[in-house]
Amino acid sequence: MAEENYIKITESMYSLQHFTIPKHYEEAVESVILPHGLIMNRIERMARDIHECFNDESLKILCILKGGYQFCNDLTHYIKALNRGSGKSIQLGIDFLRVKSYKNDQSSGEVNIIGGDDLTHLKDKNVLIVEDIVDTGRTMERLLKTLEKYQPKSVKVAALLIKDHNRGTGYKPDYIGFQVPDKFIVGYALDYNEFYRDLNHICVISESGKKKYSIS
Ligand code: HPA
Ligand code: MG
C-alpha cells in the first residue's frame, strides 16, 4: 500500500501539563496537537522534498499572510541551509499576499485577497505558494485561479496542515506537513480573531478560549 506523503494526526494526544504554555493561554487551549519540535522536524523534511523537486532554477515563494509567516520563515530557513550544504542551489524570491476568510471559528464563505505586491514578475517563473492551513480548499482554489493571470511557469502549493473532513472541494496541496482532525486549532501563527499567533505549539482551542476571544 502506498504511504501518504504526510503525517496523519488522528487525535489530540498531548496533555498541556507536559509542555510549556504561556500563562495567558493556559485556560484558553485544551490540548497540544503538534508540539513545536515536531513541526520543525517535519518542515525540515518538507524543505528537502521541495529542494529535490527543482533544479538550479529560481523559485518565487509566495507567503500567504498572516498565518503562513511562521511556516514560510522556517521552510525558507531549511531550504537556504540545503542551498549551502548540497551541490545544488535554488535562488529564492519572497513575496507576500494577505488573505482573510475567517471570523471566530467560521469561514465567512468569501475569500478576501487584501493587498500584496505587484505580481507581474511571476510571469514564466516557478512559484511556490506557502500556506499555513488548507481547510475547505476554497481559498486556495480561488488564489490559484487569480495567479493564472500572471502566467507563471509552474505553481506548487506547500501547506503545513490540511483538515481530515471532506466538506471541502477535494483540493490537495502538492506538499503537506500534517493532516489534522476537524477541530479549530491555533498557534504557530494560526489565529483565532488575531489571538494565539504567539503560541509556538499547535493546540486545540478550548471553549473558554473561544468565548474569551470571540468577536460579534
Ligand atoms: N485554525 C486557524 N485558522 C484556520 C483553521 C483553524 O483550524 N481552519 C482554517 N483556518
Ligand atoms: Mg491561512
Side-chain angles (χ1 to χ4, degrees), residues 64-68 99 102 131-134 139 190-191 197:
I64 308 305
L65 297 173
K66 295 182 188 176
V99 167
Y102 274 70
E131 170 73 298
D132 53 356
I133 184 163
V134 169
T139 303
L190 280 93
D191 76 308
R197 294 200 202 272

Side-chain angles (χ1 to χ4, degrees), residues 25 34 36 39-40 43 63-74 98-99 102 130-133 160-161 184-203:
Y25 291 136
L34 291 168
H36 185 254
I39 299 169
M40 296 301 283
I43 294 173
C63 172
I64 308 305
L65 297 173
K66 295 182 188 176
Y69 94 90
Q70 189 78 63
F71 174 42
C72 188
N73 186 38
D74 291 327
R98 174 117 192 256
V99 167
Y102 274 70
V130 177
E131 170 73 298
D132 53 356
I133 184 163
L160 180 64
L161 307 164
F184 201 79
I185 54 177
V186 290
Y188 191 74
L190 280 93
D191 76 308
Y192 175 79
N193 296 330
E194 300 299 329
F195 292 95
Y196 298 96
R197 294 200 202 272
D198 60 331
L199 174 66
N200 63 353
H201 309 300
I202 293 181
C203 297

